[in-house]
Amino acid sequence: MQKVVIVTGAAGVLGGAIASAFGNAGDKVVISDINITPKAEELASAINRGKGEAFVRKTDIRDWEEVDGMVKETVKKWGRLDVIASVGGQSLGRLSKEGKDKLLLEHTVEDWDLVMETNLRGNFNCIKAAAGQMIQQKDGQIIIMGSGTANKGRVGASSYAAAKSGLYGLMRSADLELGG
């Protein structure tokens, strides 16, 4: 059965690979990212030339209205949402203006908030928006991308490690609340 899939963070390496795999399987894929790059457009074109169908949508997962709008647009276009793969989420090194990780004592409150908003609020928004639709359908899968850094830590990535640890708690609780 052809699935309708949203992949956030799909302009990145991991998100792009996941979107490509769904597209190659013949699924309908929303390629979503905060920045729409030529790579994202090329990925959508490749999927559309193959067995699948795709479109690109700029979405900041930190913004509830944008995420909710993405889910609604997907359902309006394709009638349902079977899978959301929430891959969007980053470390400070990728998010900050400086483009580098920082030791804990170098973090500003703004640095900390940016990482938390992207990794935790962003995934919360994706879960909440997708779950509402999936409950109506009585079917669907939510995939959230974690990181080994949550368990091991990493020098210069205290905010990322904390956010990903929190994400595991969010995933476990969402599974208990929505899994049935």
Side-chain angles (χ1 to χ4, degrees):
M1 177 182 114
Q2 188 177 47
K3 293 179 182 171
V4 175
V5 181
I6 294 173
V7 181
T8 70
V13 174
L14 183 57
I18 292 169
S20 180
F22 278 112
N24 289 338
D27 295 324
K28 297 177 177 183
V29 183
V30 178
I31 297 167
S32 170
D33 208 290
I34 191 169
N35 295 311
I36 299 306
T37 63
K39 180 184 172 197
E41 297 288 355
E42 290 167 13
L43 177 57
S45 293
I47 291 170
N48 287 324
R49 286 191 307 270
K51 294 191 285 185
E53 188 177 340
F55 72 91
V56 177
R57 187 173 196 290
K58 183 181 186 306
T59 305
D60 182 345
I61 62 172
R62 298 172 297 177
D63 184 314
W64 165 253
E65 298 297 327
E66 288 192 30
V67 174
D68 189 49
M70 173 180 62
V71 169
K72 287 177 179 168
E73 181 181 349
T74 301
V75 173
K76 183 176 181 183
K77 180 174 180 65
W78 287 323
R80 60 184 297 108
L81 174 60
D82 299 301
V83 178
I84 186 165
S86 185
V87 184
Q90 296 291 341
S91 68
L92 185 59
R94 295 222 176 144
L95 292 169
S96 70
K97 294 175 194 148
E98 299 85 14
K100 66 181 186 81
D101 287 331
K102 294 181 182 178
L103 298 175
L104 176 66
L105 296 178
E106 296 171 344
H107 268 70
T108 64
V109 170
E110 293 78 17
D111 292 336
W112 182 268
D113 288 347
L114 180 61
V115 174
M116 293 300 151
E117 288 171 4
T118 303
N119 290 284
L120 283 173
R121 181 186 299 159
N123 283 287
F124 163 79
N125 287 340
C126 290
I127 292 168
K128 184 174 171 135
Q133 176 61 34
M134 291 173 179
I135 287 168
Q136 286 180 2
Q137 297 169 185
K138 298 184 179 359
D139 190 34
Q141 296 174 322
I142 299 172
I143 302 166
I144 304 295
M145 196 58 56
S147 171
T149 303
N151 299 320
K152 297 182 295 190
R154 188 176 83 223
V155 172
S158 58
S159 56
Y160 181 72
K164 289 298 187 175
S165 291
L167 191 55
Y168 283 126
L170 174 61
M171 289 187 296
R172 285 184 202 101
S173 295
D175 180 46
L176 293 171
E177 291 180 23
L178 303 170

